[in-house]
Amino acid sequence: KQEVTQIPAALSVPEGENLVLNCSFTDSAIYNLQWFRQDPGKGLTSLLLIQSSQREQTSGRLNASLDKSSGRSTLYIAASQPGDSATYLCAVGGKLIFGQGTELSVKP
Amino acid sequence: GAGVSQSPRYKVAKRGQDVALRCDPISGHVSLFWYQQALGQGPEFLTYFQNEAQLDKSGLPSDRFFAERPEGSVSTLKIQRTQQEDSAVYLCASSFNDMNTEAFFGQGTRLTVV
């Protein structure tokens, strides 16, 4: 059974810092890995999708990497801003099995 | 529509009442997923459709939960004889063709059973 773990559960950083969120999964037989952002009381916004054959994807200040063999993904956020404050979730697909999320707070 | 639409946004049900939650996926999206999200937790998979076929319902917590997508577009998640532990946010997602494409989520339905 696929299990997804995200570390840390919560993170607080000052504005401008670069940061890394971690995601690990137990079964490397995945179709893809997707990172999402969730604001309080809202649905999930897709940030990046990495196919199983890819190593990384970039969008603006976000960079996500995937190492299937070790069962790990990282989400790198450059030059963090207060507007980045949210819960970040990773999910491995097929049917999207989610981690518990990392709650990020960026202080002005 | 432009995105995945779910209704109602909020639902309060008395224990024992039946509820129906609706999901309108992005037009043309073949795959549709339902998730349950408890407060402070990640979403938990409930069920998956490809067109009208329900290919995986392994996450449905009990036989009180039933989902359908009769015409391969709109889907309904029905919960019979609701219980307090059913209180959660129910999220719907759709993707273009199969499990290998980007999934887009609706805003969710917050169900509170009193």
Side-chain angles (χ1 to χ4, degrees):
Chain A
K1 179 187 172 188
Q2 179 74 267
E3 293 183 2
V4 181
T5 304
Q6 290 188 245
I7 295 173
L11 181 63
S12 181
V13 301
E15 182 177 4
E17 268 203 12
N18 303 324
L19 58 100
V20 174
L21 308 180
N22 296 290
C23 172
S24 61
F25 47 95
T26 55
D27 184 351
S28 62
I30 63 171
Y31 285 91
N32 56 48
L33 186 143
Q34 201 164 346
W35 281 93
F36 295 89
R37 167 187 174 138
Q38 187 171 35
D39 293 282
K42 301 292 175 91
L44 280 65
T45 300
S46 177
L47 298 174
L48 289 164
L49 169 71
I50 312 177
Q51 302 291 357
S52 62
S53 58
Q54 297 175 321
R55 300 282 290 193
E56 66 177 329
Q57 281 287 343
T58 298
S59 176
R61 294 183 293 110
L62 305 179
N63 176 276
S65 68
L66 174 63
D67 183 344
K68 269 184 52 178
S69 60
S70 66
R72 294 174 190 250
S73 175
T74 61
L75 179 67
Y76 174 83
I77 303 177
S80 59
Q81 303 171 357
D84 295 330
S85 298
T87 296
Y88 290 80
L89 293 150
C90 71
V92 296
K95 61 186 183 185
L96 292 181
I97 306 299
F98 282 84
Q100 299 296 311
T102 294
E103 187 176 356
L104 173 65
S105 175
V106 181
K107 304 294 187 185
Chain B
V4 179
S5 178
Q6 292 187 246
S7 60
R9 287 293 315 279
Y10 304 92
K11 176 69 179 178
V12 178
K14 292 184 178 179
R15 191 170 53 183
Q17 188 178 358
D18 297 349
V19 298
L21 312 180
R22 178 187 168 104
C23 174
D24 272 280
I26 293 172
S27 179
H29 277 196
V30 165
S31 298
L32 187 145
F33 306 81
W34 282 98
Y35 294 84
Q36 180 189 59
Q37 187 175 26
L39 192 64
Q41 303 294 314
E44 297 280 343
F45 170 82
L46 294 177
T47 187
Y48 159 64
F49 290 85
Q50 192 164 37
N51 295 305
E52 68 279 3
Q54 189 174 21
L55 299 186
D56 188 336
K57 54 181 181 179
S58 61
L60 295 176
S62 77
D63 58 8
R64 297 185 297 104
F65 286 71
F66 173 75
E68 61 182 6
R69 194 186 185 197
E71 297 178 359
S73 179
V74 172
S75 177
T76 304
L77 176 66
K78 297 179 179 178
I79 309 173
Q80 297 177 323
R81 305 181 302 282
T82 52
Q83 301 177 5
Q84 284 192 316
E85 60 262 32
D86 300 334
S87 296
V89 175
Y90 291 85
L91 296 165
C92 175
S94 70
S95 66
F96 179 63
N97 52 10
D98 58 20
M99 290 187 168
N100 210 20
T101 54
E102 190 174 11
F104 297 90
F105 279 77
Q107 296 280 60
T109 294
R110 181 178 297 278
L111 173 65
T112 303
V113 181
V114 298

